[in-house]
Amino acid sequence: MSIVTIERKVLEKNDELALQNREVFQRHGLFVVNIVSSPGSGKTSILEQTLEHLKNKLHIAVIEGDVQTDFDAQRVAKFNVPVVQIVTNGGCHLDAKLVQDALASINLDGIKLLIIENVGNLVCPANYDLGENVKVVVASTTEGDDKPLKYPTMFRNASALLINKIDLLPYINCNLTELKTNALKINPKLKVFETSCTTKQGIAEWCTWLEKQV
Amino acid sequence: MHELSIAQNIVEIIHKHIPEAEWEKVASVHLKIGKVAGVVSDSLDFSFQAITAETSLRNTRLEVESIPFRVLCNACGVTTENEVGFTVCSECGSGNTKVLSGSELDITEIEIAEPAVKIS
């Protein structure tokens, strides 16, 4: 037997492409957010509210990631912002190459904020750096208060947590204090927002925080 | 199932670092996978076997070393391990900590069989 020592990151190729993306973002003075969550937590609704709130203050572009359909891109296009839909055709996450290809279709001149909505999945996107500045995780109250413990990586790598569908709390069995405590044990630096896209609770606070990051 | 794409990355790394004439002889690949890397070793093994079955890497095994999630507390100075991935210190409760390990997804060694693995 002979041993070849190599000491490589298994995902080094993705990391290299993410670095290239990061250079492109820096060159354009772009702040990039990667929004992650399980399917149905309300990522696209949060995005719609964010665009409504910030589109007159900031030039924003959007990359949408889904396994199938361009439904989300259609929803975003109504806000008259540049949007590209990535359809992964079964792929469970976006990777740096998919984002790099999507960037070719967006004129980044003048854009200050790029929001990437990842594929709904709390596991796989955690491993793939896209070149973003921050990850934001959305967890809705209907998913229960134990999500941070079940999917810790996503919460540990995120800068902000949006606890969405907060208006449904009276009707469901979700302990908000428990949810926050669990998330903060995983990542004490998480900035936590309680949001509802129906009542608009917390949207202004979240948008103010986001605007400050840009 | 991102294990499939991770398996493809492993194949590409082998191809990049080992001359093609030696691929048939690659006996094993050593990996370090952190407890909270979000990678299921069994799924990775299954994916790797599936994509290499009809190739020159069909005799290659994956050897996985699991790396614990370890946190160093800057407040009390104690290093602790936990399975969940809490970054808060389990000794004193401080959030002023540094994660030492547990997110690895590294390929460390490739073992080449000499002489060549017999082809069936």
Side-chain angles (χ1 to χ4, degrees):
Chain A
M1 286 282 180
S2 64
I3 307 258
V4 180
T5 304
I6 53 174
E7 301 286 348
R8 297 270 164 189
K9 300 262 178 228
V10 171
L11 296 178
E12 63 177 3
K13 201 169 119 192
N14 185 77
D15 291 346
E16 279 165 24
L17 292 168
L19 186 65
Q20 290 174 17
N21 289 348
R22 200 161 269 130
E23 283 164 5
V24 170
F25 299 150
Q26 278 173 1
R27 202 160 57 240
H28 286 86
L30 259 182
F31 187 80
V32 183
V33 181
N34 178 7
I35 304 186
V36 291
S37 82
S38 38
S41 66
K43 284 188 300 301
T44 314
S45 297
I46 291 281
L47 181 53
E48 287 174 317
Q49 294 298 323
T50 307
L51 292 171
E52 182 64 41
H53 216 87
L54 292 179
K55 69 174 180 179
N56 293 330
K57 299 182 182 173
L58 281 175
H59 287 292
I60 306 174
V62 174
I63 294 177
E64 280 288 346
D66 278 296
V67 172
Q68 283 297 347
T69 82
D70 64 350
F71 294 164
D72 285 357
Q74 291 177 32
R75 283 171 64 179
V76 167
K78 290 180 183 153
F79 293 87
N80 290 320
V81 296
V83 55
V84 180
Q85 176 79 51
I86 299 173
V87 175
T88 63
N89 282 317
C92 52
H93 57 271
L94 294 182
D95 60 33
K97 173 75 167 67
L98 288 170
V99 169
Q100 192 166 70
D101 292 346
L103 288 173
S105 317
I106 307 178
N107 179 3
L108 294 175
D109 293 342
I111 303 287
K112 288 286 165 232
L113 173 63
L114 172 66
I115 303 178
I116 303 172
E117 183 183 339
N118 216 311
V119 176
N121 180 340
L122 269 181
V123 184
C124 311
N127 290 99
Y128 295 84
D129 183 9
L130 306 179
E132 72 270 13
N133 295 90
V134 294
K135 280 192 179 72
V136 171
V137 61
V138 180
S140 58
T141 54
T142 51
E143 294 165 57
D145 45 49
D146 54 4
K147 275 289 175 293
L149 302 185
K150 288 181 172 173
Y151 303 95
T153 304
M154 214 51 119
F155 290 82
R156 198 175 38 257
N157 295 340
S159 299
L161 161 65
L162 273 63
I163 303 177
N164 198 29
K165 307 186 189 178
I166 200 76
D167 53 316
L168 297 183
L169 263 187
Y171 312 106
I172 52 174
N173 185 19
C174 172
N175 184 330
L176 181 62
T177 312
E178 191 71 18
L179 173 52
K180 281 196 218 169
T181 307
N182 288 338
L184 292 170
K185 270 200 245 172
I186 300 288
N187 178 359
K189 297 185 186 82
L190 264 180
K191 177 76 186 159
V192 182
F193 300 94
E194 297 170 17
T195 57
S196 163
C197 296
T198 308
T199 67
K200 320 288 187 232
Q201 181 185 330
I203 298 295
E205 289 86 346
W206 144 249
C207 288
T208 304
W209 177 84
L210 180 59
E211 201 182 347
K212 274 189 193 148
Q213 312 301 310
V214 177
Chain B
M1 261 304 279
H2 63 313
E3 280 79 4
L4 183 60
S5 116
I6 292 169
Q8 280 161 342
N9 277 279
I10 294 171
V11 169
E12 284 172 27
I13 291 172
I14 298 169
H15 286 173
K16 192 168 148 189
H17 292 275
I18 306 295
E20 189 168 352
E22 305 262 289
W23 291 352
E24 294 270 359
K25 296 188 276 181
V26 176
S28 64
V29 174
H30 294 244
L31 301 162
K32 281 185 179 171
I33 301 183
K35 272 275 179 215
V36 299
V39 178
V40 181
S41 295
D42 285 347
S43 300
L44 180 59
D45 206 44
F46 175 82
S47 301
F48 185 80
Q49 298 309 329
I51 61 170
T52 56
E54 309 262 305
T55 74
S56 47
L57 294 176
R58 63 191 171 282
N59 295 314
T60 307
R61 295 181 327 273
L62 296 184
E63 302 280 350
V64 175
E65 181 189 349
S66 179
I67 308 293
F69 183 73
R70 295 171 69 226
V71 175
L72 167 66
C73 180
N74 293 324
C76 73
V78 176
T79 297
T80 52
E81 291 182 10
N82 71 79
E83 296 282 316
V84 181
F86 292 132
T87 56
V88 168
C89 175
S90 55
E91 282 291 315
C92 74
S94 170
N96 181 11
T97 59
K98 186 179 174 210
V99 175
L100 298 179
S101 67
S103 303
E104 294 78 0
L105 180 49
D106 300 336
I107 182 165
T108 54
E109 288 175 349
I110 298 174
E111 203 170 355
I112 314 282
E114 303 284 358
V117 175
K118 196 178 174 192
I119 300 156
S120 53

